Amino acid sequence: MNFELSGMTVLGVFLALVAVIVALIFIVKNSLQSKDPELLHEEFEAQPKVSPLVGRNKYPQLDVFKSSGTYFGVGVVSALFITLLAFNWTQFEEEVFVPEYSLEIEEDIMVEPPRTTKPPPPPPPPPPPVIEEVPEELVEEENEPVFEDQTVTLEEKVNTPPPPKPKKAAPPPPPPPPPPPKKKVQEIFKAVEEMPRFPGCENEAPGKGKLDKCSEKALLKFIYKYIEYPTIARETGLEGRAIIQFIVDRDGSISGAKVLRDIGGGCGDEAVRVINMMNKKGKKWKPGKQQGQAVRVQYILPVKFQLE
């Protein structure tokens, strides 16, 4: 026959047993102290004398060792009882209500289109200019050019200006300062070779889909363990799915949690609060990997709110 006992029950029984033993010690002590010394002395004088080498106590009535067999039996029974409680101590796993189909996402969720490397198409060329014909009446006759004689004879002196003095070369301008280093922005992936997984399945045997199912189960258990149904949503009977988007960084931490779609009543904010709680609780994800390197991965998670 096997009994299932919780930790609080085992602790309560153990404390009660200790209290009984302490009470028994005080009762025996008080009973021995209540003996009248004069009566003990008269009984001792009436009894035949015993050698001090044989007797351990002056008054045999106060010999506590005469009940050692009883005390030993009580100790053995107590030890066996505590051992029985320890073997039947059962650690119950906390039950967490997880709504069905919690990770299903509807197809009508707005998702950003994937980035492409193709450049946008060039703009269309402008239309050709329209050439208008000018009537002959409006065309003015051009005046014929007048040529002047610019020949120079030997008798005429030509005053040429003196050559300009060379100017001192100006010092070269200082080189411009180097541009500030560009901040390296880590790329965020939406799909990688190895998607990130919630912790808790390190001891799970690797297999096709086993680790992913175990990770999803652990994630749902964490969410619905700490989530609190908003009061407004509970009073109005509001149910549905709030879609949350967050980033799993290269070290497994969570950042950038935001609501993609909310059902109102504070449900979206409550889901974001629980997602951010992962960092406070020390729940480090196994980061996603692309070509063997840890990368930042965008994760979309539906959180279903359903009244029990």
Side-chain angles (χ1 to χ4, degrees):
M1 187 175 182
N2 187 19
F3 298 97
E4 293 183 355
L5 301 175
S6 62
M8 295 301 297
T9 303
V10 173
L11 180 61
V13 174
F14 178 76
L15 294 178
L17 185 59
V18 171
V20 169
I21 294 175
V22 173
L24 182 61
I25 293 173
F26 275 98
I27 291 174
V28 173
K29 182 179 178 181
N30 291 332
S31 65
L32 294 177
Q33 290 179 348
S34 63
K35 299 289 184 179
D36 190 358
E38 295 181 358
L39 295 176
L40 293 175
H41 182 68
E42 292 177 358
E43 293 179 3
F44 178 73
E45 292 294 337
Q47 293 179 356
K49 302 299 181 181
V50 182
S51 174
L53 299 177
V54 178
R56 289 177 299 184
N57 298 84
K58 180 177 180 180
Y59 302 119
Q61 295 84 350
L62 300 180
D63 187 7
V64 295
F65 291 96
K66 64 182 180 181
S67 302
S68 59
T70 304
Y71 299 149
F72 180 76
V74 173
V76 171
V77 172
S78 302
L80 291 176
F81 186 65
I82 294 175
T83 304
L84 181 63
L85 290 177
F87 275 106
N88 289 276
W89 176 20
T90 304
Q91 186 174 4
F92 297 96
E93 186 176 359
E94 183 180 1
E95 296 183 0
V96 179
F97 173 72
V98 179
E100 296 182 355
Y101 312 106
S102 299
L103 293 179
E104 290 187 355
I105 304 178
E106 292 81 357
E107 297 181 356
D108 58 347
I109 297 177
M110 298 298 295
V111 180
E112 297 179 0
R115 291 174 292 178
T116 59
T117 56
K118 296 181 180 180
V130 180
I131 301 176
E132 298 181 359
E133 184 178 0
V134 180
E136 295 182 357
E137 292 82 3
L138 299 179
V139 178
E140 298 180 357
E141 295 183 358
E142 297 181 356
N143 297 327
E144 295 182 358
V146 178
F147 296 96
E148 297 181 357
D149 187 10
Q150 297 182 355
T151 58
V152 179
T153 59
L154 296 177
E155 297 179 355
E156 296 179 359
K157 295 182 180 180
V158 179
N159 297 325
T160 58
K165 295 181 180 179
K167 296 182 180 180
K168 294 183 179 180
K182 295 183 179 180
K183 187 177 181 181
K184 187 177 181 181
V185 180
Q186 298 178 0
E187 186 177 2
I188 300 176
F189 294 83
K190 296 182 179 178
V192 291
E193 298 173 355
E194 185 177 344
M195 293 296 291
R197 289 197 299 266
F198 188 78
C201 301
E202 290 75 12
N203 299 327
E204 184 74 17
K208 186 176 181 181
K210 290 184 178 180
L211 290 176
D212 295 337
K213 291 182 180 179
C214 178
S215 175
E216 292 177 358
K217 185 177 179 181
L219 174 60
L220 291 176
K221 186 176 179 180
F222 176 85
I223 291 175
Y224 292 102
K225 178 180 179 181
Y226 294 103
I227 202 165
E228 298 178 1
Y229 215 108
T231 306
I232 299 177
R234 183 182 294 276
E235 292 177 352
T236 57
L238 190 63
E239 295 183 348
R241 285 185 177 89
I243 310 300
I244 310 300
Q245 174 183 305
F246 56 91
I247 305 298
V248 181
D249 291 323
R250 296 191 301 174
D251 59 350
S253 60
I254 301 300
S255 63
K258 63 179 181 180
V259 181
L260 288 185
R261 191 178 70 180
D262 196 0
I263 60 176
C267 294
D269 296 336
E270 176 63 18
V272 171
R273 184 189 69 85
V274 176
I275 295 298
N276 292 328
M277 190 184 292
M278 297 178 185
N279 294 332
K280 300 179 181 179
K281 295 292 183 179
K283 296 293 184 179
K284 294 286 187 179
W285 287 56
K286 182 179 180 181
K289 291 185 178 181
Q290 182 73 9
Q291 297 180 355
Q293 300 292 330
V295 294
R296 305 180 70 196
V297 181
Q298 175 182 297
Y299 201 94
I300 296 179
L301 177 67
V303 180
K304 186 176 181 180
F305 289 85
Q306 180 179 347
L307 295 172
E308 300 181 12

